[in-house]
Amino acid sequence: MKLTIIGTGYVGLVTGACFAEVGHQVVCVDNDAAKVKVLQAGGIPIYEPGLEELVKKNVAAGRLSFTSSTAEGVAKSDVIFIAVPTPPQPDGSVDMSFIEKVAREIASAMTAYKIVVDKSTVPVKTGDQVAETIKRYNKAKVEFDVVSNPEFLREGFAVEDLMKPDRVVIGVRSQRPVAAMKEIYEPFNAPIIVTDINSAELIKHASNSFLALKISYINAVSVLCEAAGANVQEVAAGMGMDARIGRRFLNASLGFGGSCFPKDLSAFVKIAEQVGYDFRLLKEVQSINVEQMNRFVKKITEILWVLKDKNIGVLGLAFKQNTDDVRQSPAIELCQRLQKEGARLRVHDPKAMEKARTVLSGVTYVDDMNAVADGCDALVIATEWDEFKQLDLERARRALSHPIMFDGRNLFDAAEMEKAGWIYKSIGR
Ligand code: NAD
């Protein structure tokens, strides 16, 4: 099928590449001309495992192309996906200006029937607004359908998630676009659930908020574990073996971040407020997350006492492993908190250093993870990269003024670390 994706970021680019991979003819549109230029020249503006090969292969096969013209994208396809940002506003509600602008642009360019599919994460009832906007701004008064098709990919595993989705949600107002939507997703062999648009939009916010809730739950349990001398990893393992609970998203840490969970939680709380419901449960999920970071910073100051003029090595800047994304990264927040206390930082991340430089200054970026500890008073693990498990601990011990590690991701075995002479502080153990 001929498909256009408007917004070529983490969601749009990976979606475009995966659609092309299963045989669709895909045009990816972005209004960032520099980004389009990079893509047209064969570059990939983001890091996502497996993405580069997939994009190159499908561009070479003539199934994937890039443009900065929405009009061109709309003209070339029958189905137009919207994958532009929906960032938070200061009050927690969603900034809908990107979606509204794209809806107007699509409307102006439409000369024949199109299916307009929203893939961005949006508040419930956005479908109605998009339909109304297109109706108002389409001078030709052509027919169209609006569909909600929320995206559930995880950054760091985006290609895998898109190629093998747990489910595909298709929200519609009429049956007309259903066959085309099913045809697009047929090659992925995933269960497809067809709902009304409002339910589809709610599924996304309800799912992300539930996952964030799971993380805050285990983080709250980690506080009890520390107080009682229990081990949160053993508790999570025991809980997770119950099929009703599941082990995933039960990793205690210094808290969740990223461009989705914090913003989707705030949006969901706000949406609830607008319909007259006080979603106190989710407000608590948010506060537990804030407290978890505070508690971690406190742990560091309890051991290092005064942070002013201390040198601290920080491993990890991305908001989680396998990505270069630093948006709302807890690792970056932690660095900034330590800097505020006067600490000097040496930092490393396998993929996110370039993006981190745009938001974190006044630190020393170190290319070799093993050299981060050099001349430092302590090491901090802030992101759960698998690579960090291979850290040369002997070398780090010698390089530090005293072997002290704060592990915000529970990467190492606490008993072994202590046996090896480390002052080792992790989460919930
Ligand atoms: P992103 O910032 O990586 O990409 C968005 C792209 O849209 C950018 O390249 C931007 O230049 C482009 N853009 C903005 N306005 C445009 C316009 N008028 N015309 C053309 N292009 C335009 O964002 P993302 O992470 O891909 O997220 C997109 C949406 O998907 C958001 O609603 C997000 O909540 C949702 N989502 C994200 C993830 C994730 O893990 N990143 C997962 C599921 C859903």
Side-chain angles (χ1 to χ4, degrees):
M1 292 185 73
K2 290 184 178 151
L3 311 176
T4 286
I5 322 274
I6 302 181
T8 310
Y10 283 90
V11 169
L13 180 57
V14 187
T15 304
C18 291
F19 280 166
E21 176 67 10
V22 298
H24 299 308
Q25 192 69 36
V26 181
V27 182
C28 282
V29 179
D30 206 285
N31 66 351
D32 179 343
K35 191 181 251 190
V36 172
K37 228 174 178 174
V38 167
L39 286 159
Q40 284 172 336
I44 305 289
I46 55 170
Y47 172 73
E48 194 58 58
L51 180 63
E52 189 167 352
E53 300 84 311
L54 207 64
V55 170
K56 288 202 164 129
K57 178 179 160 200
N58 285 286
V59 168
R63 287 191 296 264
L64 181 61
S65 63
F66 305 97
T67 176
S68 52
S69 160
T70 302
E72 183 189 329
V74 172
K76 279 190 170 159
S77 298
D78 312 310
V79 185
I80 320 293
F81 287 82
I82 302 175
V84 295
T86 46
Q89 308 198 88
D91 71 349
S93 65
V94 181
D95 174 359
M96 295 304 291
S97 62
F98 295 85
I99 300 274
E100 194 267 352
K101 182 162 179 266
V102 171
R104 276 189 283 123
E105 287 171 357
I106 294 171
S108 313
M110 263 173 28
T111 53
Y113 173 77
K114 304 281 172 189
I115 299 174
V116 179
V117 186
D118 174 53
K119 213 171 223 323
S120 295
T121 302
V122 294
V124 60
K125 294 197 169 191
T126 296
D128 291 345
Q129 298 284 8
V130 168
E132 200 47 46
T133 305
I134 295 178
K135 216 154 98 190
R136 277 185 210 153
Y137 286 87
N138 177 240
K139 293 267 178 286
K141 300 291 168 212
V142 297
E143 291 188 3
F144 66 92
D145 273 299
V146 168
V147 173
S148 166
N149 172 220
E151 181 48 60
F152 301 97
L153 66 79
R154 297 163 298 164
E155 279 178 33
F157 303 90
V159 172
E160 190 184 320
D161 288 348
L162 267 156
M163 293 308 288
K164 292 190 202 105
D166 287 341
R167 80 299 208 186
V168 172
V169 175
I170 295 173
V172 291
R173 303 208 297 180
S174 76
Q175 286 306 301
R176 188 171 178 187
V178 172
M181 292 303 297
K182 284 190 170 167
E183 196 179 331
I184 293 170
Y185 280 104
E186 204 248 345
F188 296 95
N189 289 319
I192 294 179
I193 159 170
V194 179
T195 68
D196 62 88
I197 293 198
N198 290 346
S199 302
E201 290 167 341
L202 276 175
I203 286 171
K204 175 62 190 178
H205 270 129
S207 300
N208 266 11
S209 299
F210 188 79
L211 292 171
L213 178 148
K214 240 182 135 179
I215 298 174
S216 277
Y217 184 83
I218 200 68
N219 279 338
V221 171
S222 80
V223 179
L224 293 189
C225 288
E226 281 178 27
N231 180 335
V232 75
Q233 281 176 311
E234 286 174 8
V235 174
M239 287 172 62
M241 286 167 88
D242 185 327
R244 294 169 303 176
I245 297 173
R247 175 63 183 81
R248 291 164 81 185
F249 283 79
L250 286 182
N251 292 322
S253 69
L254 72 170
F256 59 78
S259 70
C260 289
F261 283 0
K263 107 171 147 68
D264 292 350
L265 261 179
S266 316
F268 213 28
V269 167
K270 208 74 198 169
I271 290 162
E273 196 181 297
Q274 279 156 7
V275 299
Y277 177 62
D278 182 5
F279 216 145
R280 296 186 304 279
L281 178 66
L282 293 187
K283 288 181 181 167
E284 198 52 36
V285 169
Q286 293 174 313
S287 351
I288 290 171
N289 202 45
V290 171
E291 284 161 19
Q292 199 66 1
M293 174 64 79
N294 291 343
R295 202 171 288 113
F296 193 63
V297 173
K298 189 160 166 249
K299 250 179 213 168
I300 297 175
T301 49
E302 268 168 8
I303 301 284
L304 295 184
W305 191 18
V306 174
L307 295 190
K308 190 167 178 334
D309 295 334
K310 290 269 160 61
N311 295 306
I312 302 177
V314 179
L315 287 165
L317 297 166
F319 84 94
K320 62 173 190 170
Q321 64 169 332
N322 286 349
T323 182
D324 62 347
D325 197 348
V326 295
R327 292 178 287 181
Q328 279 80 55
S329 169
I332 300 281
E333 185 190 333
L334 176 69
C335 287
Q336 287 164 342
R337 299 263 305 250
L338 298 177
Q339 274 184 315
K340 220 164 144 198
E341 297 290 322
R344 287 184 295 261
L345 306 181
R346 290 170 60 78
V347 303
H348 170 82
D349 189 282
K351 296 287 177 200
M353 301 234 274
E354 200 183 313
K355 294 222 161 97
R357 279 178 215 273
T358 62
V359 290
L360 182 66
S361 54
V363 302
T364 305
Y365 286 91
V366 182
D367 286 332
D368 173 7
M369 71 168 176
N370 284 310
V372 168
D374 292 356
C376 284
D377 299 286
L379 258 187
V380 172
I381 310 264
T383 310
E384 71 277 30
W385 282 96
D386 269 343
E387 280 93 323
F388 296 160
K389 293 183 189 155
Q390 310 307 321
L391 189 73
D392 185 341
L393 288 171
E394 236 346 275
R395 186 193 183 287
R397 231 160 61 90
R398 287 195 306 270
L400 291 165
S401 51
H402 192 85
I404 302 174
M405 186 188 285
F406 302 97
D407 184 352
R409 299 289 180 173
N410 288 349
L411 291 192
F412 297 102
D413 184 285
E416 274 178 26
M417 291 295 282
E418 276 156 24
K419 207 167 119 205
W422 287 83
I423 295 179
Y424 176 74
K425 297 287 166 194
S426 55
I427 312 280
R429 313 187 290 175

